[in-house]
Tab-separated table of all heavy atoms in Angstrom:
chain	number	residue	atom	x	y	z
A	6	PRO	N	76.620	81.977	97.000
A	6	PRO	CA	76.868	82.723	95.813
A	6	PRO	C	77.437	81.871	94.678
A	6	PRO	O	78.157	80.939	94.930
A	6	PRO	CB	77.854	83.855	96.260
A	6	PRO	CG	78.337	83.414	97.559
A	6	PRO	CD	77.456	82.364	98.131
A	8	ASN	N	79.819	80.911	91.699
A	8	ASN	CA	81.248	81.198	91.414
A	8	ASN	C	81.503	80.994	89.935
A	8	ASN	O	82.679	80.668	89.556
A	8	ASN	CB	82.063	80.181	92.252
A	8	ASN	CG	83.449	80.689	92.367
A	8	ASN	OD1	83.816	81.817	91.948
A	8	ASN	ND2	84.321	79.864	92.922
A	24	GLY	N	101.673	101.159	95.936
A	24	GLY	CA	100.623	100.820	96.954
A	24	GLY	C	99.231	100.963	96.398
A	24	GLY	O	98.363	100.141	96.734
A	29	LEU	N	94.299	98.001	94.762
A	29	LEU	CA	93.267	97.772	93.736
A	29	LEU	C	93.275	96.366	93.256
A	29	LEU	O	92.231	95.650	93.185
A	29	LEU	CB	93.393	98.768	92.577
A	29	LEU	CG	92.471	98.463	91.400
A	29	LEU	CD1	91.151	99.094	91.612
A	29	LEU	CD2	93.108	98.863	90.080
A	34	ILE	N	91.201	90.713	93.013
A	34	ILE	CA	91.458	89.293	93.059
A	34	ILE	C	90.669	88.660	94.154
A	34	ILE	O	90.147	87.554	93.998
A	34	ILE	CB	92.987	89.042	93.293
A	34	ILE	CG1	93.731	89.440	92.063
A	34	ILE	CG2	93.272	87.631	93.674
A	34	ILE	CD1	95.265	89.326	92.179
A	40	PRO	N	78.911	92.511	95.019
A	40	PRO	CA	77.896	92.607	96.030
A	40	PRO	C	77.705	91.291	96.823
A	40	PRO	O	77.168	91.328	97.964
A	40	PRO	CB	76.714	93.032	95.309
A	40	PRO	CG	76.883	92.682	93.904
A	40	PRO	CD	78.315	92.652	93.649
A	43	THR	N	81.898	86.847	99.651
A	43	THR	CA	81.973	85.955	100.759
A	43	THR	C	83.416	85.660	101.072
A	43	THR	O	84.198	85.225	100.210
A	43	THR	CB	81.228	84.585	100.377
A	43	THR	OG1	79.956	84.863	99.835
A	43	THR	CG2	81.132	83.724	101.587
A	47	ILE	N	86.566	81.922	96.811
A	47	ILE	CA	87.388	82.708	95.778
A	47	ILE	C	86.438	83.083	94.648
A	47	ILE	O	86.078	82.197	93.859
A	47	ILE	CB	88.568	81.861	95.309
A	47	ILE	CG1	89.490	81.435	96.449
A	47	ILE	CG2	89.347	82.637	94.235
A	47	ILE	CD1	90.646	80.548	96.064
A	48	GLN	N	86.078	84.321	94.606
A	48	GLN	CA	85.083	84.812	93.571
A	48	GLN	C	85.676	85.955	92.801
A	48	GLN	O	84.947	86.568	92.058
A	48	GLN	CB	83.871	85.277	94.336
A	48	GLN	CG	83.223	84.372	95.239
A	48	GLN	CD	82.059	85.046	95.961
A	48	GLN	OE1	82.284	85.759	96.922
A	48	GLN	NE2	80.861	84.880	95.416
A	55	LEU	N	100.082	95.398	83.326
A	55	LEU	CA	101.049	95.725	82.293
A	55	LEU	C	102.027	96.837	82.690
A	55	LEU	O	101.653	97.559	83.603
A	55	LEU	CB	100.299	96.057	80.989
A	55	LEU	CG	99.338	95.032	80.429
A	55	LEU	CD1	98.636	95.600	79.200
A	55	LEU	CD2	99.969	93.747	80.129
A	57	ALA	N	104.953	96.849	84.197
A	57	ALA	CA	105.421	96.708	85.551
A	57	ALA	C	106.651	97.559	85.816
A	57	ALA	O	106.929	97.989	86.909
A	57	ALA	CB	105.622	95.289	85.965
A	60	VAL	N	106.156	101.305	87.106
A	60	VAL	CA	105.438	101.599	88.392
A	60	VAL	C	106.341	102.569	89.221
A	60	VAL	O	107.507	102.675	89.052
A	60	VAL	CB	105.170	100.317	89.171
A	60	VAL	CG1	106.407	99.799	89.831
A	60	VAL	CG2	104.135	100.529	90.233
A	63	THR	N	107.048	106.391	95.581
A	63	THR	CA	107.136	107.776	96.049
A	63	THR	C	108.126	107.987	97.145
A	63	THR	O	108.563	106.936	97.793
A	63	THR	CB	105.792	108.252	96.514
A	63	THR	OG1	105.346	107.406	97.567
A	63	THR	CG2	104.707	108.229	95.425
A	64	GLY	N	108.625	109.160	97.300
A	64	GLY	CA	109.516	109.467	98.323
A	64	GLY	C	110.921	108.879	98.038
A	64	GLY	O	111.333	108.738	96.967
A	72	TYR	N	114.186	94.566	100.083
A	72	TYR	CA	113.621	93.246	100.012
A	72	TYR	C	114.648	92.245	100.524
A	72	TYR	O	115.802	92.299	100.102
A	72	TYR	CB	113.244	92.896	98.593
A	72	TYR	CG	112.117	93.752	98.052
A	72	TYR	CD1	112.378	94.833	97.104
A	72	TYR	CD2	110.790	93.577	98.461
A	72	TYR	CE1	111.337	95.530	96.623
A	72	TYR	CE2	109.756	94.353	97.925
A	72	TYR	CZ	110.038	95.375	97.036
A	72	TYR	OH	109.036	96.141	96.594
A	75	TYR	N	116.063	84.611	102.371
A	75	TYR	CA	117.069	83.813	103.040
A	75	TYR	C	117.250	82.551	102.198
A	75	TYR	O	116.321	81.860	101.850
A	75	TYR	CB	116.604	83.453	104.435
A	75	TYR	CG	117.655	82.719	105.243
A	75	TYR	CD1	118.844	83.246	105.494
A	75	TYR	CD2	117.384	81.415	105.668
A	75	TYR	CE1	119.826	82.596	106.253
A	75	TYR	CE2	118.332	80.729	106.379
A	75	TYR	CZ	119.590	81.366	106.668
A	75	TYR	OH	120.532	80.641	107.374
A	84	THR	N	119.862	90.638	100.359
A	84	THR	CA	119.029	91.900	100.306
A	84	THR	C	119.281	92.608	99.058
A	84	THR	O	120.338	92.521	98.431
A	84	THR	CB	119.417	92.783	101.493
A	84	THR	OG1	120.820	93.194	101.357
A	84	THR	CG2	119.253	92.145	102.843
A	96	GLU	N	108.396	92.553	87.632
A	96	GLU	CA	107.121	91.776	87.877
A	96	GLU	C	107.048	91.362	89.368
A	96	GLU	O	106.016	91.373	89.985
A	96	GLU	CB	107.069	90.521	87.004
A	96	GLU	CG	107.268	90.740	85.562
A	96	GLU	CD	108.748	90.672	85.127
A	96	GLU	OE1	109.563	90.124	85.873
A	96	GLU	OE2	109.043	91.140	84.053
A	101	ARG	N	104.948	90.726	94.874
A	101	ARG	CA	105.200	90.680	96.354
A	101	ARG	C	104.293	91.689	97.036
A	101	ARG	O	103.783	91.365	98.132
A	101	ARG	CB	106.633	90.961	96.565
A	101	ARG	CG	107.022	90.770	97.982
A	101	ARG	CD	108.505	90.712	98.123
A	101	ARG	NE	108.880	90.515	99.537
A	101	ARG	CZ	110.062	90.287	99.990
A	101	ARG	NH1	111.067	90.166	99.117
A	101	ARG	NH2	110.312	90.120	101.258
A	103	VAL	N	101.276	92.754	96.119
A	103	VAL	CA	99.853	92.181	96.112
A	103	VAL	C	99.797	90.975	97.000
A	103	VAL	O	98.805	90.799	97.774
A	103	VAL	CB	99.448	91.881	94.618
A	103	VAL	CG1	98.122	91.145	94.659
A	103	VAL	CG2	99.355	93.105	93.827
A	105	GLY	N	101.349	90.288	99.663
A	105	GLY	CA	101.315	90.690	101.088
A	105	GLY	C	99.919	91.203	101.536
A	105	GLY	O	99.578	91.249	102.696
A	107	LEU	N	96.986	89.772	100.312
A	107	LEU	CA	96.037	88.673	100.190
A	107	LEU	C	96.041	87.929	101.525
A	107	LEU	O	96.966	87.999	102.283
A	107	LEU	CB	96.403	87.762	99.050
A	107	LEU	CG	96.300	88.334	97.637
A	107	LEU	CD1	96.776	87.374	96.636
A	107	LEU	CD2	94.867	88.811	97.349
A	110	GLY	N	97.592	81.672	103.933
A	110	GLY	CA	97.126	80.323	103.962
A	110	GLY	C	96.817	79.829	102.514
A	110	GLY	O	97.188	80.392	101.552
A	116	MET	N	94.594	82.332	95.386
A	116	MET	CA	94.256	83.602	94.774
A	116	MET	C	95.454	84.255	94.054
A	116	MET	O	95.253	84.885	93.077
A	116	MET	CB	93.832	84.613	95.890
A	116	MET	CG	92.479	84.383	96.459
A	116	MET	SD	92.085	85.570	97.745
A	116	MET	CE	90.601	84.902	98.351
A	128	HIS	N	100.609	91.080	76.359
A	128	HIS	CA	100.271	89.938	77.182
A	128	HIS	C	99.612	88.858	76.306
A	128	HIS	O	99.039	89.195	75.255
A	128	HIS	CB	99.357	90.359	78.304
A	128	HIS	CG	97.960	90.886	77.887
A	128	HIS	ND1	96.886	90.022	77.637
A	128	HIS	CD2	97.549	92.117	77.605
A	128	HIS	CE1	95.877	90.752	77.239
A	128	HIS	NE2	96.220	92.000	77.241
A	135	PRO	N	89.915	90.635	78.071
A	135	PRO	CA	89.895	91.408	79.355
A	135	PRO	C	89.388	92.789	79.209
A	135	PRO	O	89.567	93.451	78.121
A	135	PRO	CB	91.380	91.363	79.768
A	135	PRO	CG	92.128	91.201	78.494
A	135	PRO	CD	91.223	90.425	77.556
Side-chain angles (χ1 to χ4, degrees):
N8 198 10
L29 172 84
I34 289 174
T43 309
I47 301 175
Q48 307 174 279
L55 302 178
V60 74
T63 57
Y72 294 105
Y75 185 63
T84 61
E96 308 91 15
R101 188 164 180 172
V103 172
L107 292 176
M116 287 178 188
H128 66 87

